[in-house]
Amino acid sequence: MWLKKLPPASLLVPLFLIQLLWTTTVHATEEKKAPRISPYKLDNPPANFFYFDGSEIIILHDREAGIILRSENAGENWEKVDDIKSGTAWDVQPHPFDNTVAYVLGQKTDHWITNDRGKSWTAFTTKAPPSLFKQPLSFHATDSKKVLLHTQTCTGIFDCEEEDYYTKDGFKTSKKLRKNTRNCIFVHSTLRSEVDEKDLEIPEDRIVCVVLGWDSPYPKDYRVVYSDDYFDDGTKDGYEPYLDGDRIVKGIIKMAMVKGYLVAATKAEHTAEMALYVTKDAKTWHRAEFPKDHKLEEDAYTILESTNYSIQVDVMTTKPSNPMGVLFTSNSNGTNFTRNIEHTNRNRGGNVDFEKIQGIQGIVLVNVVDNWKDVTRSSRAIKKIKTKISFHDGRNFERITYKNQDLHLHSVTDVSNFFGRIYSSSAPGIVMGVGNTGDYLRDYEEGDLYVSDDAGKTWNLARKEAHKYEFGDQGAVLVAIYDEGPTNEIAYSLDHGEHWDTADLGAVLGHNVKVRAKVLTTTPDSTSLKFVLLATVDRKDYYVFSIDFEGLHEKKCEDDDFENWDARPKSEDDPGCIMGQKQWYRRRKAGAKCFVEKKFKDPEAKFEQCLCTEKDFECDFNFKWDEDQNKCVPADGLPVPGGQCKKAEDKYKGSSGYKLIPGNKCKGGVDMAKEVDRPCKETEKAPVSGKISKKITTFRGKYFTEHYYLERAGSSSGKDQTVIMRTDEKEIHISRDHGKTWSHVLEGKEITAIYPHQYNNDAVYFLTTGTTVHYTINRGETFDHFEAKAPPTRDKVQIMGFHEDKLDWLLWTGAVDCSPPKDGDPKDGECHSVTYYSEDRGDNWKTLARYVRKCEFIKREGRKDRSDGLEKLIYCEKFKGEKLGGPLQLLSSTNWFGESQVKFPDVIDFATMSEFIIVAAKDSDQKSLKIDTSVDGKIFADALFPENFKVPHRTAYTVLDSSTHAIFLHVTIEDRPDFEYGSIVKSNYNGTFYVLSLEGVNRNGAGFADFEKMLGLPGVALTNIVANIGHTADQSKKLKSMITHNDGAQWALLPAPQKDAKGNDYKCDAENHCSLHLHAYTERDDPRKTFSSPSAVGLMMGVGNVGEYLTRKSDGDLFLTRDGGVTWVAVKTGNYMWEYGDQGSILVIVKENVATKVVHYSRDEGETWTEFEFSESEMIVFSITTVPSDTSRNFLLWGKDAHSDGEIVTVNLDFTGLTDKQCKLMPDDLDSKDRDYSLWTPKHPQQSDDCLFGKVAQYHRKKTDRDCYNGPKILHPGNFTPCTCARQDFECDYNYQRASDGSCQLVGDHDPPDHSQACRDDPEKKSYFLPTGYRRIPLSECQGGKELEKFISKAHACPGHEKEFGKEMLEKQPHLSGFWLFIFAVVLPIGIAFAVGYWVWTNWGRQFGRIKLGGDAGSGVAEQPWITYPIMAVSALVAVVATIPMLLGSLWHSATGLFGGGRRYTTRSSFARGRGDYAVVDPDEDELLGEDDDEEA
């Protein structure tokens, strides 16, 4: 989003513009007797330049010298500001509401303020340096002494803390406002209209901020908060408003004030679509609604100069490489937008050819693309641009002409013409522009200068060739200078541009000296007779020219020299009214021989009231424009009037659907707001049926090959529940209503794999047997295609790669130079792989790297700002010397491999995890693996294990969940077939030092471990351990289930329920070695069947048994916990699959892999169950699914008819008919009896208090006896209360282990960790503490109390900071800003050149991987080898699950068959239940790093 606030002409010259302008050309002038011209030579190009409004005082900033220059006489004379030391002025900024105040900021903490227009400057200091990447100052509109300062302090390369400070006395004093801010502004940061001042009571000191999320530093979790008391000097979080009904909204990425409107843009993960929320008081918000055929996307809409009664937004509608847009205008409260004009011209920077004529209501100039169809089809099409004008606030547009020919003018997108306003100033009705007549707009250098003195209605040729131009003395003087090259004269007109004279510039510099004009400007109000020209000579010398026209007329204008001029054209059908009034000015006559000479006094507009017409009304509350935007219709069921509508056929007096636009001055005429008789049926909603509906659909084929949910992200505007599916017949079917109806798309195309976009739920790619790839970027509404450079690679790696931010950036790995198959086996044909890249969604491809195994964009989440140059960071595994079978080198590049660096000479594989890049490489002995990690992609560090943790020839690692600020790593101890197990070790904050968490953890032959994080509840995890370690080789594993409630610091057996599902006692306790055991990942046919749900916090279900060990799954029962695993109940006898809906208010279960025609459901968290028959005949159900977030009330059963051969079936189950009442959250009235929620507090079973990880967290939970549905997702806990630190907030440090008394003791005579390393990691760090044996659990947020990491240890100074030491103690440990967000796994066999590697889509909208649901998995169809292996394997995927409020990313990987028979399976993540906003990837979304035999190594 771009906010383009166009200031009055010449108010402020942007730094980038002036520096750009100085770099082009130069010239001088000749001398003429006319205006007085005075030059001043500069030492360096100015970085900034502005007038103090209401004066001729100019400030010029020379950044290279770090000085400020000041002129009191419009640039004629200049003086250096001596109050500011040379070399210290980094930036200068005028106060936008006080024309006597300006600030000069230094790069550190020394700054200056002037209160007398730069005559004197007072120094002040701040506690932190201003941000160099964001606007540092924010101002109060009515009290100039109130200012906010945004600061940024970096204590390491990747650890920067942003804070805001405030002053109420112009920085005589300042205090901290709040930490962890991203943007803060005063709600009174713009001057408000009379209507707003009257109707709104906004506290003077209200401040609104965008801040970090509760548990996350990532943009997807940014929040908006406000305070009326400066956040009580930074001690309070502030009030978080409800942007969407009674729900808070996360992902606030931009916020700004626009003419009294506070606009916040939000963006959820996995969508490019953004939502716009609007408020005038920061307390009451509404989502802006746009027509259904247009949506807002990041970096694809621009908020334009707006009015006091509407917001103007331009939305991009094409690819950014050749952009066009549509212009929309809002209603008075900024919530409903209507279309004004389509095909507006934009550039890649987001600038739009749009400008309002200053000082006149309702006149707008825009440029549109006439050949929009060509531009839509091809990014290479040359735009044919035309200029249009509206005199009616954008309701209609017309062409502008010169001598009956169409005239077209260059506008905002042309940087050569961009300074202040393009066309107009405060001079009433005088408009100028550079352009040409003809069919379309030509190049700037082919243009001439045109002028209009009736606000754009008629135009005249002013000067041949392109000129810069400016207005003075309220339009009495027009000045222009040649802008196509050097010149030695300046032109001027004193009669509205009809006649022109010239003045010689050369006389003041020397004969024949020419200058190249860069900026021509005057006072912001265009009332002065003095102008300033910034120019260069010989491309190296910089000059400021003062041009003074005083004296050209000796007479000052009198009353007879003025005329009444109507601001807008009139006609019989149009009286020229806008907002209920006509506008006119008393303006100097064009031919008057006088000057106005009213310096710094804006022309005064006069108004005359008009009769009301339809144009003066807008839709009333509870009404909206219809599809054609012709009339206002009810938005939903209207509220029932009191005492009326006793019968449906009655009528009542109610709103007409219209209201007068607030601030409109019309009177009489049409009264569209008059109440009318309305039918009472409008107040009613169709009653719900009270029943569950079902819809069965059959498909041709033997099994479903793959299917994905394209779940709507939080900022998406649509309501569809789209599912896309492929059958074994290579047919694609899509449903937009969760499987009630299906459409066959891409008919006749043999689709071999589906590739959902990893970071965008709206985009999906469909691979074929050749180079053709079909795709959709709008959820299947339309399809397009491209041709790849080569067929897909035959290696078992990902074929397509996606960028996290750039939807159009793609990687494609193809097979090149393939040899013919040997012996008829297509797998024997040898190829090498080449990776190609495209920046335009496949329209054009270029070679990235040859002889590769795989290449990937490296996700940048948490890894510095976007300005870090790592946007194009790509890693490739490439065979050394381009020889297949040779060592695999890991290379990186940030410029499409124009240059590259070798990171590792011999790797097994690499994977990305949040900010981490993890590399598995061979150890020096060539018999073991070692792991290296990096957070910046540049510097790697070894992973260090405890000294007492010795594993000879470590051959396999599985990286488990990393969502709790630490890495869990499964290290294989025993890899004997069918008896594999290992130990879980847990890292410190940066993933380099590990401590032992749990031994004997079960894993399978593929390397995946029984480890699963609970979704939505941080710190809770379940695992299965091997209980019979050390027994004979012929004995099978005996497994026990264990749980941790404090992130792996302590583990315990699962407590058994007291009674079974039939009510019988279990007679089970710890004394007889009895507990509850659950079947986990390594035994699942379908890894999507996670225990928990991301939105049903505290609930888990699983199949298992009560006893000493885990028994056969077929003998198991279904168990459930409602308190995060502290207690369990048995709910059903037998083996069931389960699914959560409506955030846990609906639980649905169905028997697994047996013939059935019923499901059971519960609406009270499993207390009671109801049977529902979904089919008259039995079917075998392979899976039950819903949207990955578990927020829908629709479910899908996937299976086949139990009594037919080869018929596959989906069954939609719709529970919305049970109730239409949405539950009342009432977050501001927690004790209300009408509230449908209670607050649930998770706790550790062995703790007396409710503190977990340094806080008491309370979660909103629907009361089980309430007949209502949850609706929009409840995004965060209802309350947080901080706790003081206690023993449970700490775990044993590196080389320490837990003793029998619970203390942490040093292992043998091993060395403790070197805590001074933190000083080397962080050069700004002042001190560190010696090891105590304890380290804080990274997830803990405790404060004070028993800080065991400091207990009995004193602080030591970091080298180089001895002087500062003692002044400031460490506030927090160096922290890499929330790195840990997901799990991944990669199987990396050493010695196998073509190790398998598939990305696991971490897209929470992708629930399923490439899965065969039903049928014999081994009944493969005869397909080409690259279809049989890599593509089908790669197409698998899907989402991630997570705990509030994090989201994961992940790496796809791996290799064999899901249901046996040689068909491949994806990684655990590919079957993870795509959980978008939660912090755990499928608890088992782990990736195996290396699995090798010593012999092979």
Side-chain angles (χ1 to χ4, degrees), residues 790-794 814-821 826 828-833 1426:
T793 177
R794 296 184 182 181
V816 176
D817 297 335
C818 297
S819 60
D828 287 341
E830 189 176 79
C831 307
H832 73 266
S833 295
W1426 63 267

Side-chain angles (χ1 to χ4, degrees), residues 1159-1174:
V1159 297
H1160 295 82
Y1161 69 92
S1162 173
R1163 298 179 65 202
D1164 55 11
E1165 295 183 353
E1167 291 283 355
T1168 60
W1169 295 86
T1170 304
E1171 183 178 280
F1172 174 74
E1173 184 175 295
F1174 62 81

Side-chain angles (χ1 to χ4, degrees), residues 177-181 184 207-215 221-241 248 1276-1280 1282 1341:
L177 177 72
R178 200 187 188 286
K179 65 179 182 179
N180 294 329
T181 55
C184 290
I207 295 170
V208 60
C209 294
V210 176
V211 301
L212 296 187
W214 285 105
D215 296 310
D221 295 310
Y222 287 177
R223 305 176 294 129
V224 61
V225 295
Y226 73 85
S227 172
D228 296 334
D229 60 0
Y230 296 92
F231 296 95
D232 199 10
D233 293 341
T235 61
K236 295 181 181 178
D237 180 70
Y239 183 80
E240 189 167 4
I248 62 102
H1276 75 98
N1279 190 26
F1280 279 127
E1341 299 177 17

Side-chain angles (χ1 to χ4, degrees), residues 12-13 180 193 282 422 439 629 732 800 827 1268 1273 1281 1299:
L12 185 63
V13 183
N180 294 329
S193 67
I422 305 302
D439 294 332
Q629 300 182 5
I732 302 297
M800 296 192 71
K827 293 184 290 184
C1268 58
K1273 189 186 301 182
T1281 304

